Amino acid sequence: MSHRAGRTRWRRFAVVLVPSVAAFASVGIAMAQGVLAASFFISGQHFQVAADSLTARGFSLYGMVDVTRKHELVPVVVSGFRHATLIGLCQSVVVDVPVLGTQTLRLTGGGGRPVEASNLFIDATSESVGQANFDGLDIGVAQGAVTKGPVRSGDRNSRFFDPDGVAQQAVSTTLNDVRVSAVAVSAGTFNIPGLRVRVEQGNHSCF
């Protein structure tokens, strides 16, 4: 009887957690290999992205609307980095699993070594930075006129992209204590030394 109950718990665990684990782990692997597609339906689930510091050459920030597979619309702020170096990278998603309770999937990388990314885009619903420094900053530039930082090609072709909308750009930026609630991350290349993906009991989110 107890053996059957145990099997039931693990079946429920798999049904709820495995899709999130698979999706989140595949994002990490795809990011590491630089093969993540530029445009895709988002799951709509929020996850956290944090870094002790992010230094970038070529920065852009503009508004966008992401779409879930169920065609739900999610307004986001897209931060683009032509080439970025991150220290202390952490990603996490918290999942409530029947019977087993709260589980946290955490992805960390670097281990004291820098994480390197090119054409990195973070689709965020909220962002906070302890200290932000910009060189060659333009605020109020039209989204269709952004040149100093990248604009995702899939976004330019989207019906939600407003070329006359307000954007921000800079030649370079340094961001400290980065905390982002995101619905999507994509990159041309994402090289993560010491990549670790693990599941932990309880809430162990990045921040």
Side-chain angles (χ1 to χ4, degrees), residues 82-101:
R82 200 177 304 282
H83 184 273
T85 300
L86 302 91
I87 302 295
L89 173 66
C90 176
Q91 295 184 46
S92 66
V93 61
V94 177
V95 180
D96 290 323
V97 181
V99 180
L100 295 178

PDB file of all heavy atoms in Angstrom, residues 82-101:
ATOM      1  N   ARG A  82      24.756  43.637 -26.741  1.00  0.00           N
ATOM      2  CA  ARG A  82      25.480  43.096 -27.894  1.00  0.00           C
ATOM      3  C   ARG A  82      26.553  42.113 -27.447  1.00  0.00           C
ATOM      4  O   ARG A  82      26.721  41.048 -28.030  1.00  0.00           O
ATOM      5  CB  ARG A  82      26.098  44.231 -28.712  1.00  0.00           C
ATOM      6  CG  ARG A  82      26.421  43.814 -30.143  1.00  0.00           C
ATOM      7  CD  ARG A  82      26.974  44.982 -30.946  1.00  0.00           C
ATOM      8  NE  ARG A  82      26.107  46.148 -30.964  1.00  0.00           N
ATOM      9  CZ  ARG A  82      25.023  46.257 -31.741  1.00  0.00           C
ATOM     10  NH1 ARG A  82      24.665  45.261 -32.516  1.00  0.00           N
ATOM     11  NH2 ARG A  82      24.301  47.361 -31.719  1.00  0.00           N
ATOM     12  N   HIS A  83      27.296  42.471 -26.426  1.00  0.00           N
ATOM     13  CA  HIS A  83      28.252  41.548 -25.809  1.00  0.00           C
ATOM     14  C   HIS A  83      28.264  41.805 -24.316  1.00  0.00           C
ATOM     15  O   HIS A  83      28.484  42.935 -23.886  1.00  0.00           O
ATOM     16  CB  HIS A  83      29.659  41.712 -26.383  1.00  0.00           C
ATOM     17  CG  HIS A  83      30.622  40.714 -25.816  1.00  0.00           C
ATOM     18  ND1 HIS A  83      31.326  40.932 -24.649  1.00  0.00           N
ATOM     19  CD2 HIS A  83      30.974  39.466 -26.235  1.00  0.00           C
ATOM     20  CE1 HIS A  83      32.069  39.877 -24.381  1.00  0.00           C
ATOM     21  NE2 HIS A  83      31.880  38.977 -25.326  1.00  0.00           N
ATOM     22  N   ALA A  84      28.004  40.778 -23.543  1.00  0.00           N
ATOM     23  CA  ALA A  84      27.869  40.947 -22.091  1.00  0.00           C
ATOM     24  C   ALA A  84      28.783  39.992 -21.342  1.00  0.00           C
ATOM     25  O   ALA A  84      29.013  38.855 -21.769  1.00  0.00           O
ATOM     26  CB  ALA A  84      26.420  40.709 -21.665  1.00  0.00           C
ATOM     27  N   THR A  85      29.283  40.473 -20.211  1.00  0.00           N
ATOM     28  CA  THR A  85      30.053  39.663 -19.279  1.00  0.00           C
ATOM     29  C   THR A  85      29.351  39.704 -17.928  1.00  0.00           C
ATOM     30  O   THR A  85      29.102  40.794 -17.399  1.00  0.00           O
ATOM     31  CB  THR A  85      31.493  40.194 -19.127  1.00  0.00           C
ATOM     32  OG1 THR A  85      32.139  40.171 -20.407  1.00  0.00           O
ATOM     33  CG2 THR A  85      32.286  39.337 -18.149  1.00  0.00           C
ATOM     34  N   LEU A  86      29.010  38.533 -17.392  1.00  0.00           N
ATOM     35  CA  LEU A  86      28.272  38.447 -16.134  1.00  0.00           C
ATOM     36  C   LEU A  86      29.107  37.736 -15.089  1.00  0.00           C
ATOM     37  O   LEU A  86      29.804  36.749 -15.383  1.00  0.00           O
ATOM     38  CB  LEU A  86      26.950  37.704 -16.311  1.00  0.00           C
ATOM     39  CG  LEU A  86      25.945  38.258 -17.324  1.00  0.00           C
ATOM     40  CD1 LEU A  86      26.165  37.635 -18.703  1.00  0.00           C
ATOM     41  CD2 LEU A  86      24.517  38.012 -16.875  1.00  0.00           C
ATOM     42  N   ILE A  87      29.028  38.220 -13.865  1.00  0.00           N
ATOM     43  CA  ILE A  87      29.651  37.584 -12.707  1.00  0.00           C
ATOM     44  C   ILE A  87      28.554  37.178 -11.742  1.00  0.00           C
ATOM     45  O   ILE A  87      27.660  37.969 -11.430  1.00  0.00           O
ATOM     46  CB  ILE A  87      30.645  38.535 -12.004  1.00  0.00           C
ATOM     47  CG1 ILE A  87      31.742  38.987 -12.984  1.00  0.00           C
ATOM     48  CG2 ILE A  87      31.257  37.862 -10.774  1.00  0.00           C
ATOM     49  CD1 ILE A  87      32.626  37.872 -13.466  1.00  0.00           C
ATOM     50  N   GLY A  88      28.612  35.935 -11.247  1.00  0.00           N
ATOM     51  CA  GLY A  88      27.637  35.468 -10.270  1.00  0.00           C
ATOM     52  C   GLY A  88      26.254  35.248 -10.858  1.00  0.00           C
ATOM     53  O   GLY A  88      25.254  35.721 -10.312  1.00  0.00           O
ATOM     54  N   LEU A  89      26.174  34.524 -11.978  1.00  0.00           N
ATOM     55  CA  LEU A  89      24.900  34.280 -12.644  1.00  0.00           C
ATOM     56  C   LEU A  89      24.040  33.286 -11.861  1.00  0.00           C
ATOM     57  O   LEU A  89      24.531  32.262 -11.387  1.00  0.00           O
ATOM     58  CB  LEU A  89      25.139  33.721 -14.053  1.00  0.00           C
ATOM     59  CG  LEU A  89      23.898  33.258 -14.826  1.00  0.00           C
ATOM     60  CD1 LEU A  89      22.998  34.449 -15.136  1.00  0.00           C
ATOM     61  CD2 LEU A  89      24.300  32.533 -16.102  1.00  0.00           C
ATOM     62  N   CYS A  90      22.749  33.588 -11.737  1.00  0.00           N
ATOM     63  CA  CYS A  90      21.795  32.684 -11.096  1.00  0.00           C
ATOM     64  C   CYS A  90      20.453  32.812 -11.793  1.00  0.00           C
ATOM     65  O   CYS A  90      20.015  33.919 -12.108  1.00  0.00           O
ATOM     66  CB  CYS A  90      21.636  33.029  -9.605  1.00  0.00           C
ATOM     67  SG  CYS A  90      20.392  32.032  -8.728  1.00  0.00           S
ATOM     68  N   GLN A  91      19.814  31.652 -12.066  1.00  0.00           N
ATOM     69  CA  GLN A  91      18.445  31.619 -12.556  1.00  0.00           C
ATOM     70  C   GLN A  91      17.670  30.648 -11.686  1.00  0.00           C
ATOM     71  O   GLN A  91      18.197  29.613 -11.285  1.00  0.00           O
ATOM     72  CB  GLN A  91      18.382  31.160 -14.014  1.00  0.00           C
ATOM     73  CG  GLN A  91      19.033  32.098 -15.003  1.00  0.00           C
ATOM     74  CD  GLN A  91      18.844  31.625 -16.432  1.00  0.00           C
ATOM     75  OE1 GLN A  91      17.750  31.242 -16.839  1.00  0.00           O
ATOM     76  NE2 GLN A  91      19.907  31.650 -17.197  1.00  0.00           N
ATOM     77  N   SER A  92      16.416  30.967 -11.414  1.00  0.00           N
ATOM     78  CA  SER A  92      15.619  30.078 -10.567  1.00  0.00           C
ATOM     79  C   SER A  92      14.152  30.159 -10.949  1.00  0.00           C
ATOM     80  O   SER A  92      13.665  31.193 -11.409  1.00  0.00           O
ATOM     81  CB  SER A  92      15.784  30.437  -9.082  1.00  0.00           C
ATOM     82  OG  SER A  92      15.238  31.720  -8.802  1.00  0.00           O
ATOM     83  N   VAL A  93      13.462  29.044 -10.748  1.00  0.00           N
ATOM     84  CA  VAL A  93      12.011  28.988 -10.900  1.00  0.00           C
ATOM     85  C   VAL A  93      11.471  28.129  -9.770  1.00  0.00           C
ATOM     86  O   VAL A  93      12.045  27.082  -9.446  1.00  0.00           O
ATOM     87  CB  VAL A  93      11.594  28.426 -12.275  1.00  0.00           C
ATOM     88  CG1 VAL A  93      12.101  27.016 -12.485  1.00  0.00           C
ATOM     89  CG2 VAL A  93      10.077  28.481 -12.452  1.00  0.00           C
ATOM     90  N   VAL A  94      10.405  28.604  -9.123  1.00  0.00           N
ATOM     91  CA  VAL A  94       9.807  27.905  -7.983  1.00  0.00           C
ATOM     92  C   VAL A  94       8.522  27.235  -8.447  1.00  0.00           C
ATOM     93  O   VAL A  94       7.676  27.871  -9.084  1.00  0.00           O
ATOM     94  CB  VAL A  94       9.522  28.878  -6.821  1.00  0.00           C
ATOM     95  CG1 VAL A  94       8.839  28.152  -5.667  1.00  0.00           C
ATOM     96  CG2 VAL A  94      10.821  29.530  -6.352  1.00  0.00           C
ATOM     97  N   VAL A  95       8.380  25.936  -8.129  1.00  0.00           N
ATOM     98  CA  VAL A  95       7.222  25.155  -8.555  1.00  0.00           C
ATOM     99  C   VAL A  95       6.583  24.518  -7.327  1.00  0.00           C
ATOM    100  O   VAL A  95       7.282  23.923  -6.493  1.00  0.00           O
ATOM    101  CB  VAL A  95       7.636  24.048  -9.546  1.00  0.00           C
ATOM    102  CG1 VAL A  95       6.421  23.237  -9.988  1.00  0.00           C
ATOM    103  CG2 VAL A  95       8.338  24.650 -10.753  1.00  0.00           C
ATOM    104  N   ASP A  96       5.264  24.655  -7.185  1.00  0.00           N
ATOM    105  CA  ASP A  96       4.522  23.981  -6.119  1.00  0.00           C
ATOM    106  C   ASP A  96       4.077  22.608  -6.614  1.00  0.00           C
ATOM    107  O   ASP A  96       3.305  22.507  -7.563  1.00  0.00           O
ATOM    108  CB  ASP A  96       3.317  24.814  -5.683  1.00  0.00           C
ATOM    109  CG  ASP A  96       3.720  26.066  -4.936  1.00  0.00           C
ATOM    110  OD1 ASP A  96       4.703  25.993  -4.170  1.00  0.00           O
ATOM    111  OD2 ASP A  96       3.059  27.108  -5.105  1.00  0.00           O
ATOM    112  N   VAL A  97       4.586  21.549  -5.977  1.00  0.00           N
ATOM    113  CA  VAL A  97       4.315  20.182  -6.396  1.00  0.00           C
ATOM    114  C   VAL A  97       3.362  19.526  -5.402  1.00  0.00           C
ATOM    115  O   VAL A  97       3.617  19.547  -4.188  1.00  0.00           O
ATOM    116  CB  VAL A  97       5.625  19.366  -6.468  1.00  0.00           C
ATOM    117  CG1 VAL A  97       5.347  17.943  -6.919  1.00  0.00           C
ATOM    118  CG2 VAL A  97       6.618  20.047  -7.398  1.00  0.00           C
ATOM    119  N   PRO A  98       2.245  18.952  -5.873  1.00  0.00           N
ATOM    120  CA  PRO A  98       1.336  18.264  -4.953  1.00  0.00           C
ATOM    121  C   PRO A  98       2.083  17.211  -4.137  1.00  0.00           C
ATOM    122  O   PRO A  98       2.950  16.517  -4.647  1.00  0.00           O
ATOM    123  CB  PRO A  98       0.313  17.618  -5.900  1.00  0.00           C
ATOM    124  CG  PRO A  98       0.326  18.478  -7.113  1.00  0.00           C
ATOM    125  CD  PRO A  98       1.750  18.941  -7.265  1.00  0.00           C
ATOM    126  N   VAL A  99       1.748  17.108  -2.859  1.00  0.00           N
ATOM    127  CA  VAL A  99       2.329  16.167  -1.896  1.00  0.00           C
ATOM    128  C   VAL A  99       3.741  16.576  -1.496  1.00  0.00           C
ATOM    129  O   VAL A  99       4.068  16.666  -0.312  1.00  0.00           O
ATOM    130  CB  VAL A  99       2.329  14.714  -2.425  1.00  0.00           C
ATOM    131  CG1 VAL A  99       2.934  13.772  -1.391  1.00  0.00           C
ATOM    132  CG2 VAL A  99       0.928  14.272  -2.809  1.00  0.00           C
ATOM    133  N   LEU A 100       4.606  16.838  -2.462  1.00  0.00           N
ATOM    134  CA  LEU A 100       6.004  17.142  -2.152  1.00  0.00           C
ATOM    135  C   LEU A 100       6.218  18.589  -1.730  1.00  0.00           C
ATOM    136  O   LEU A 100       7.248  18.916  -1.141  1.00  0.00           O
ATOM    137  CB  LEU A 100       6.893  16.823  -3.352  1.00  0.00           C
ATOM    138  CG  LEU A 100       6.958  15.342  -3.736  1.00  0.00           C
ATOM    139  CD1 LEU A 100       7.835  15.167  -4.967  1.00  0.00           C
ATOM    140  CD2 LEU A 100       7.484  14.494  -2.585  1.00  0.00           C
ATOM    141  N   GLY A 101       5.300  19.463  -2.066  1.00  0.00           N
ATOM    142  CA  GLY A 101       5.432  20.851  -1.654  1.00  0.00           C
ATOM    143  C   GLY A 101       6.257  21.675  -2.629  1.00  0.00           C
ATOM    144  O   GLY A 101       6.418  21.327  -3.798  1.00  0.00           O
TER     145      GLY A 101
END
